[in-house]
Amino acid sequence: MGGTLEAPERADDRALVARLRAGDEETFASLVDGWSGWMLRLARQHVPTASVAEEVVQETWLAVLQGLDRFRGEASLRTWVYRILVNQAKGRGVRERRTVPFASLAPEDDGPTVDPARFQGPGDAHPGGWRQFPEEWPEQVTLTREVRDVVTGALSELPDRQRIVVALRDLDGHTADEVCDLLGISAGNQRVLLHRGRAVVRAHLERYLAPGSRSEVAR
């Protein structure tokens, strides 16, 4: 698509807002593509599921469009969107904690965890064998999920600011300057929050990756 903004977060806020107010769909699409990743990450810190986080991001974009006339440029556009997102996510998080998902009331499924059709039958050349090998073996998937769970568990122990800074820097790939602008904090504060948060995550990973730690857990 010709003329797509490669880095809308670096565009002049006033010109960017002017295009949004004029109904420039290409500019809006570029913002959605460029910013929704970190918005999902931040929303997920306040709500119980990824699907709810996606809804929060959608609600935030709607609120941004509806509130553009109120943007005065006192903070950067990114920071303004961040504040709307956090307010939306916190409010949604409170509502979600007051409800019980309908799916959680359903009985547990005691059926097989792998579709039997994926295995060869009695009349095939190799009864019980795979018809087609899985793309990833369960052990590899489990290890990946375990590492992810270790990082997620470590992040959950961090104070809000540390968790958000580590997630933005190490999971979403934002630069230090971008994080400072997004959160409205100084470079020194960003460094301290990042250092302390990383230390906790690193300690969790070192314990997990220590020789024999996984086999001991398995027993």
Side-chain angles (χ1 to χ4, degrees), residues 110-190:
D110 294 326
T113 57
V114 179
D115 185 353
R118 298 180 66 182
F119 300 97
Q120 297 186 35
D124 294 317
H126 303 285
W130 290 95
R131 293 187 184 278
Q132 182 178 2
F133 289 114
E135 295 180 2
E136 289 184 289
W137 288 104
E139 294 82 0
Q140 295 172 322
V141 176
T142 299
L143 182 59
T144 301
R145 289 174 178 169
E146 286 177 356
V147 172
R148 182 186 61 195
D149 289 344
V150 170
V151 174
T152 300
L155 289 174
S156 69
E157 296 183 6
L158 299 177
D160 288 344
R161 278 296 178 98
Q162 289 183 27
R163 181 173 62 249
I164 291 172
V165 169
V166 173
L168 288 173
R169 289 296 310 277
D170 294 340
L171 300 182
D172 290 332
H174 286 277
T175 67
D177 289 342
E178 288 172 339
V179 172
C180 290
D181 179 62
L182 180 61
L183 303 182
I185 58 178
S186 67
N189 193 8
Q190 189 272 158

Side-chain angles (χ1 to χ4, degrees), residues 3-213:
T4 300
L5 294 177
E6 294 180 0
E9 64 274 14
R10 294 193 293 271
D12 177 78
D13 280 349
R14 283 176 293 184
L16 187 58
V17 170
R19 291 198 295 272
L20 292 173
R21 287 172 175 167
D24 187 329
E25 295 183 1
E26 187 174 340
T27 296
F28 180 67
S30 296
L31 278 181
V32 171
D33 289 343
W35 292 7
S36 289
W38 62 260
M39 292 170 69
L40 279 169
R41 184 78 63 187
L42 293 178
R44 189 64 180 84
Q45 307 300 322
H46 301 283
V47 297
T49 67
S51 60
V52 174
E54 291 175 357
E55 292 176 5
V56 167
V57 172
Q58 293 173 1
E59 293 167 357
T60 298
W61 282 121
L62 179 60
V64 167
L65 290 177
Q66 294 174 339
L68 278 174
D69 289 340
R70 296 193 297 273
F71 178 73
R72 296 290 179 264
E74 296 174 355
S76 70
L77 180 63
R78 185 193 289 261
T79 300
W80 183 69
V81 172
Y82 162 76
R83 291 170 181 169
I84 294 175
L85 174 76
V86 170
N87 287 335
Q88 295 277 354
K90 286 182 176 179
R92 184 63 180 269
V94 170
R95 294 196 300 273
E96 290 292 325
R97 285 192 292 270
R98 292 174 180 170
T99 63
V100 178
F102 178 78
S104 68
L105 303 178
E108 294 185 0
D109 183 6
D110 294 326
T113 57
V114 179
D115 185 353
R118 298 180 66 182
F119 300 97
Q120 297 186 35
D124 294 317
H126 303 285
W130 290 95
R131 293 187 184 278
Q132 182 178 2
F133 289 114
E135 295 180 2
E136 289 184 289
W137 288 104
E139 294 82 0
Q140 295 172 322
V141 176
T142 299
L143 182 59
T144 301
R145 289 174 178 169
E146 286 177 356
V147 172
R148 182 186 61 195
D149 289 344
V150 170
V151 174
T152 300
L155 289 174
S156 69
E157 296 183 6
L158 299 177
D160 288 344
R161 278 296 178 98
Q162 289 183 27
R163 181 173 62 249
I164 291 172
V165 169
V166 173
L168 288 173
R169 289 296 310 277
D170 294 340
L171 300 182
D172 290 332
H174 286 277
T175 67
D177 289 342
E178 288 172 339
V179 172
C180 290
D181 179 62
L182 180 61
L183 303 182
I185 58 178
S186 67
N189 193 8
Q190 189 272 158
R191 285 195 297 270
V192 171
L193 292 169
L194 181 64
H195 174 75
R196 291 176 178 173
R198 280 177 171 173
V200 172
V201 175
R202 186 181 300 114
H204 278 69
L205 286 172
E206 287 175 348
R207 287 196 296 270
Y208 171 74
L209 296 173
S213 62

